[in-house]
Amino acid sequence: MDYSPVGVPPGLEYLVQIDQILIHQQVELLEAFTGFETKNRYEIKNSLGQKIYSAKEDSNCCTRNCCGPLRNFDLQIKDHNDQEVIRLVKPLRCTSCCCPCCLQEMEVQSPPGVTIGYVVQQWHAFLPKLSILGAAKENLLKVDGPCCAVSCCGDVDFVLKGKDDQAIGRITKQWSGVVKELFTDTDNFGIEFPIDLDVKVKAVLLGACFLIDFMFFERTGDSGNRCSVFG
């Protein structure tokens, strides 16, 4: 018998009772020493640092090392029973202010195969802006980032806003220390949102966090370059 709360996708029950998520990217030694882009892996934790999910990128070697952070991929998020509860689907897209017709986006599915929302980059000449959309692509929330989305000895906040343009939370790229920031692309994030936010929207915000990571904090191969709204 299924005892899941009504309207909550299987495996997301824990998200109902929390208002903060931590995401820690795992260090890949091959990538750190050679610059060869490997599949990203993450641990998703609660505010106490307890692991609640794990996430692993599904992509091929060619797209990772030729397309960099612009690449298409699936990200599989699994629970403690190794069951996939969320799937993030990112197509190959541009990320340039000069090419506003094909900007970044991510589809969020839970369970896999059932779309619950989208994260879509909105065109702006110099500011990071994302829209959080529902399954029917209706506007729910938006995310506004700083003019300079660079983690330089401090955290970087992307503000989560409601339809009334009031701040209700944030996605924070957390400063990881000089060694990690300079020599790896291993990133730490925190997501804060109202505890009574729809659990499906909380899951879509996970997608927004991963999209932000790839757009602004993922290194492009061994060049050290990163994406931005400028391409």
Side-chain angles (χ1 to χ4, degrees):
M1 183 178 295
D2 185 5
Y3 293 99
S4 301
V6 177
V8 177
L12 302 191
E13 296 84 1
Y14 186 77
L15 296 183
V16 174
Q17 56 187 313
I18 61 175
D19 60 1
Q20 185 177 5
I21 297 174
L22 304 176
I23 300 176
H24 295 160
Q25 186 175 354
Q26 304 302 292
V27 176
E28 300 291 345
L29 294 180
L30 176 63
E31 184 174 331
F33 286 111
T34 68
F36 185 83
E37 187 69 29
T38 58
K39 296 179 180 180
N40 286 353
R41 299 171 184 263
Y42 306 84
E43 288 188 346
I44 301 170
K45 303 179 180 181
N46 61 19
S47 59
L48 299 177
Q50 299 167 329
K51 181 180 174 181
I52 54 178
Y53 300 115
S54 60
K56 180 181 178 181
E57 177 186 350
D58 183 11
S59 62
N60 65 59
C61 177
C62 180
T63 56
R64 287 196 305 275
N65 289 279
C66 294
C67 300
L70 301 179
R71 64 185 180 266
N72 60 295
F73 63 85
D74 289 357
L75 195 73
Q76 300 171 344
I77 299 178
K78 298 183 178 182
D79 62 14
H80 287 300
N81 298 317
D82 203 37
Q83 296 297 310
E84 186 179 0
V85 296
I86 302 174
R87 180 177 297 169
L88 307 179
V89 181
K90 179 187 174 298
L92 178 66
R93 287 289 188 270
C94 300
T95 181
S96 170
C97 63
C98 299
C99 187
C101 62
C102 194
L103 298 178
Q104 295 289 308
E105 67 176 57
M106 181 173 283
E107 178 183 350
V108 183
Q109 303 174 356
S110 183
V114 179
T115 301
I116 60 172
Y118 300 86
V119 185
V120 179
Q121 181 187 8
Q122 298 302 311
W123 184 87
H124 195 280
F126 53 88
L127 291 177
K129 289 183 175 290
L130 301 173
S131 290
I132 307 300
L133 310 180
K137 294 197 171 182
E138 70 277 19
N139 283 296
L140 300 176
L141 304 170
K142 62 181 180 179
V143 179
D144 290 345
C147 179
C148 184
V150 177
S151 181
C152 184
C153 300
D155 295 347
V156 181
D157 287 334
F158 294 78
V159 181
L160 178 64
K161 296 182 178 181
K163 292 182 179 180
D164 58 0
D165 212 38
Q166 296 298 308
I168 63 170
R170 62 183 176 178
I171 298 173
T172 302
K173 164 63 173 68
Q174 299 169 340
W175 172 250
S176 301
V178 174
V179 174
K180 279 190 175 182
E181 294 288 343
L182 288 181
F183 298 105
T184 75
D185 64 352
T186 302
D187 300 316
N188 296 326
F189 287 87
I191 311 175
E192 299 175 21
F193 42 70
I195 196 169
D196 59 351
L197 189 67
D198 186 294
V199 68
K200 294 180 181 178
V201 181
K202 293 180 182 181
V204 178
L205 289 178
L206 268 174
C209 183
F210 285 113
L211 187 59
I212 287 172
D213 182 26
F214 273 84
M215 287 178 63
F216 302 105
F217 304 106
E218 178 80 359
R219 294 182 188 274
T220 307
D222 59 3
S223 67
N225 295 325
R226 301 173 188 255
C227 287
S228 72
V229 293
F230 302 106

